[in-house]
Amino acid sequence: MEKTQTTEEYLNEIRALPGLENAILAGITVNRREMTAELFLVTDHTYSPDAAARAKAAAIKYLPSAFSPRIRIEKRVPDEGMIRAKIAAFMAARFPAASAFLREEDIEVAMLREGSGANFSFDVASGDQSLFTSGKILDEVSAYLSGIYCGSFYGNVRIVEREKEEFDPDAEIPEEEEEYAQTVRVFPVTDFHRLDGVETVPKYATYIADVSGESDDLTVCGAISFIQEREYTRKNEKTGEEVLKSRFSLTVSDGTGSLRATYFPKKATVEKVRALKAGDWVVLSGANEAYNGSISYTAKRINFGRPPENFVPEARKGKPVPAAYHTVFPEAYADYTQAGMFDVCEKPAALQDNTFVVFDLETTGLNNQPAMGKMDRIIEIGAVKLSHGEIAEKFSTFVACPTRLPPEIVALTGIRDEDLAGAPDIARVIPDFYKFCDGCFLVGHNVQFDYRFIRYYGEENGYMFDQRQFDTMTLAQELLRGEGLANYKLNTIADHYGFTFNHHRAFDDALTTAKIFIELIRQRKTLP
């Protein structure tokens, strides 16, 4: 049912069934292991079990003979408020520049006759209309609504005059408390071609930096920085025999962040995926799901695709870089144990020409994603700045914690409640750390874990950490494979290079990570 014509033929047939007169096909999920295809239908009328059974029977003639159909039907009847909220959310995610000039109350929705959709309009001030009439905004909003609700949706732009407030020269000017809400950004996918097959060609990918909560339909696009095939056994349901299977672990990066994914190949794709290598650009479509107290991404499909040429990530609106440090003051740092490191080796241009902040955190726990419940707190930040290939500055501070530290954290880090007495609150530390990171790339070991904490508490205080990140764990997986390492933990890699340090303290971990990063880039010569 990949062809639009075939889809329309099926819909025309089932729309003759009672309750499915306006049904839309919202999605198809193919399970090649079970050889089934689940058709997800959305309707706006009450339907009978008989209609569902007949819709399932009708699907047989449109599917490949080897596949059995399954039917899932959901009744959705939107009202004006629901449609208005959906439009506002879609605009904020897809067209943030235009959305900044559009309040939810500026969206007018008029329902058409039952089951036939709605008209919507954007009320905008004169001079702002070009933001909404260019770039096919109305067409994309209409297509989005048609994909989730029954009926047709039509949009237009209306020019309205905004009332101007009378200016009082003697009135006090109130200080604005600006909110910096997190937005989910997307970019167009270009140069798409199939590797795994797909029912619908993905048009947009979510910025990896913005991937946080659960989603059963998440598309990302990035360059592979690490890919590894692993074998596992699975019991055959029919014979009961253990069967050897493969799965792939891979890391992709899009310039805003990195994402680890798991992919279970089909027979038709396993050799194609084995041929993928670091540097290849791919589009992953799959689900971000809660598992063992964290969120992990499983790719259902892998295809080729990349961002537009000369793609520059869109910056999120936030507070400017502070003019001065106020609470935590960086110190000059010279690591004499590394003196002469480059005496016999010219500094790689990748290190000479860029500035990096290598950082590490100690926290009260492992939850760095609000979707999984209450966020754990940062209790220590340690960082060093690499300038011209040398460790030049240090940033180190405890962070106040209003609750007692868990015993396991005390045992792991050696940090006690009394160590945090008098420490500055995160709201005072984050502006200084933001300034310390200004104009730098971020580096960490398993960097996404710490970055999610920094991003969350930065956003809470209006500072948007959008810097490009590099992960020493991923680099080590790429460059030290075959070196006999038992794993790619920080202490294991440090032992490989002969570095000794006080593990599980933020500054010591950051300093060791910086030394490892230098060695890895010396070997690699270039940045990923």
Side-chain angles (χ1 to χ4, degrees):
M1 296 185 66
E2 292 184 11
K3 296 182 179 178
T4 302
Q5 181 180 357
T6 305
T7 301
E8 288 303 315
E9 289 175 357
Y10 174 68
L11 287 174
N12 288 336
E13 182 170 343
I14 68 166
R15 283 170 180 165
L17 300 173
L20 302 180
E21 293 88 349
N22 300 310
I24 61 172
L25 182 59
I28 303 176
T29 302
V30 176
N31 187 323
R32 295 188 182 276
R33 290 189 181 89
E34 299 179 5
M35 298 303 287
T36 60
E38 182 184 77
L39 282 65
F40 177 30
L41 300 173
V42 173
T43 182
D44 55 355
H45 288 80
T46 300
Y47 62 93
S48 66
D50 178 65
R54 292 168 66 185
K56 178 179 178 180
I60 295 175
K61 68 177 75 172
Y62 298 99
L63 293 172
S65 58
F67 283 84
S68 301
R70 292 180 178 175
I71 294 290
R72 179 161 61 99
I73 305 178
E74 181 178 312
K75 182 183 176 184
R76 292 179 183 170
V77 183
D79 57 23
E80 294 177 3
M82 292 169 61
I83 293 175
R84 186 181 296 109
K86 287 289 187 183
I87 293 174
F90 179 78
M91 288 293 296
R94 177 69 187 92
F95 301 104
S99 178
F101 295 87
L102 184 72
R103 301 168 301 179
E104 189 168 329
E105 55 264 35
D106 297 329
I107 304 171
E108 293 291 330
V109 177
M111 303 300 296
L112 301 177
R113 62 182 177 82
E114 185 181 357
S116 60
N119 290 331
F120 64 91
S121 61
F122 297 147
D123 292 348
V124 300
S126 177
D128 296 338
Q129 68 269 28
S130 62
L131 285 168
F132 297 87
T133 55
S134 61
K136 298 183 178 179
I137 286 180
L138 296 175
D139 291 343
E140 291 203 26
V141 173
S142 297
Y144 167 69
L145 294 173
S146 297
I148 60 175
Y149 297 126
C150 299
S152 299
F153 297 85
Y154 306 95
N156 63 70
V157 176
R158 300 190 307 194
I159 309 302
V160 298
E161 294 299 325
R162 304 285 191 204
E163 290 186 8
K164 296 183 179 179
E165 296 182 2
E166 199 171 313
F167 175 67
D168 180 0
D170 298 322
E172 289 187 12
I173 301 175
E175 291 187 12
E176 291 188 4
E177 189 62 40
E178 193 163 8
E179 293 187 5
Y180 300 95
Q182 179 178 355
T183 58
V184 177
R185 299 162 293 174
V186 297
F187 60 81
V189 174
T190 64
D191 197 26
F192 178 88
H193 55 283
R194 289 177 170 83
L195 180 154
D196 191 7
V198 64
E199 286 82 20
T200 304
V201 175
K203 294 182 179 180
Y204 302 100
T206 298
Y207 282 47
I208 289 177
D210 294 350
V211 173
S212 57
E214 290 185 82
S215 173
D216 58 4
D217 185 14
L218 176 65
T219 296
V220 296
C221 175
I224 295 174
S225 55
F226 168 77
I227 184 167
Q228 184 178 51
E229 183 178 359
R230 299 174 182 271
E231 293 184 336
Y232 68 101
T233 58
R234 181 177 179 179
K235 184 174 291 187
N236 187 303
E237 294 180 358
K238 294 182 179 179
T239 65
E241 296 178 351
E242 294 288 338
V243 180
L244 191 63
K245 296 280 188 177
S246 289
R247 71 172 184 268
F248 290 85
S249 299
L250 66 157
T251 302
V252 296
S253 305
D254 65 359
T256 70
S258 299
L259 181 73
R260 290 198 187 92
T262 301
Y263 173 73
F264 296 90
K266 299 90 174 173
K267 288 183 179 179
T269 62
V270 63
E271 293 299 329
K272 296 177 182 179
V273 176
R274 280 175 181 155
L276 292 174
K277 59 187 182 302
D280 288 341
W281 279 88
V282 292
V283 181
L284 307 181
S285 299
N288 216 33
E289 300 170 312
Y291 179 74
N292 281 351
S294 62
I295 294 179
S296 59
Y297 184 74
T298 301
K300 297 178 182 177
R301 296 188 181 278
I302 298 181
N303 292 285
F304 293 105
R306 58 190 310 124
E309 189 174 358
N310 301 321
F311 169 66
V312 178
E314 171 194 343
R316 295 177 300 154
K317 183 181 178 183
K319 292 180 181 178
V321 178
Y325 293 100
H326 293 282
T327 302
V328 183
F329 296 85
E331 302 171 16
Y333 185 84
D335 183 24
Y336 297 106
T337 64
Q338 296 298 295
M341 178 184 294
F342 292 112
D343 289 350
V344 295
C345 179
E346 184 179 353
K347 296 178 184 177
L351 289 173
Q352 288 191 76
D353 300 340
N354 299 291
T355 307
F356 307 86
V357 166
V358 188
F359 74 107
D360 187 82
L361 308 177
E362 299 302 334
T363 62
T364 58
L366 302 178
N367 186 22
N368 59 5
Q369 300 178 93
M372 297 305 297
K374 186 178 180 180
M375 286 282 292
D376 281 307
R377 291 180 173 273
I378 298 171
I379 56 175
E380 187 180 32
I381 299 178
V384 296
K385 184 173 290 185
L386 293 180
S387 181
H388 305 295
E390 298 178 356
I391 301 172
E393 289 184 273
K394 68 175 286 187
F395 182 104
S396 181
T397 183
F398 284 121
V399 182
C401 181
T403 59
R404 294 187 66 85
L405 296 177
E408 61 269 25
I409 296 301
V410 175
L412 179 69
T413 66
I415 299 173
R416 300 164 298 172
D417 291 307
E418 49 264 42
D419 294 325
L420 305 184
D425 186 78
I426 189 66
R428 293 168 54 201
V429 172
I430 279 292
D432 288 341
F433 189 61
Y434 188 71
K435 179 174 177 61
F436 187 71
C437 296
D438 182 41
C440 304
F441 294 138
L442 299 181
V443 180
H445 195 75
N446 190 14
V447 68
Q448 285 299 304
F449 176 82
D450 290 333
Y451 174 72
R452 288 192 180 107
F453 279 107
I454 289 297
R455 178 184 168 101
Y456 175 82
Y457 287 107
E459 282 176 354
E460 265 203 337
N461 294 278
Y463 296 100
M464 305 299 169
F465 287 83
D466 277 336
Q467 294 91 334
R468 186 179 176 191
Q469 304 127 50
F470 297 96
D471 191 344
T472 50
M473 184 167 71
T474 301
L475 284 167
Q477 289 170 331
E478 173 191 345
L479 299 169
L480 301 182
R481 188 185 301 179
E483 296 285 345
L485 275 67
N487 53 56
Y488 295 98
K489 295 179 180 179
L490 181 64
N491 56 329
T492 303
I493 301 172
D495 289 343
H496 173 77
Y497 286 117
F499 300 142
T500 57
F501 68 114
N502 182 16
H503 197 16
H504 295 304
R505 287 301 304 271
F507 178 73
D508 294 279
D509 284 4
L511 179 61
T512 300
T513 301
K515 296 175 183 178
I516 290 171
F517 180 70
I518 290 171
E519 293 294 335
L520 292 170
I521 298 303
R522 283 180 64 190
Q523 179 178 340
R524 199 180 194 279
K525 308 298 184 186
T526 61
L527 297 175

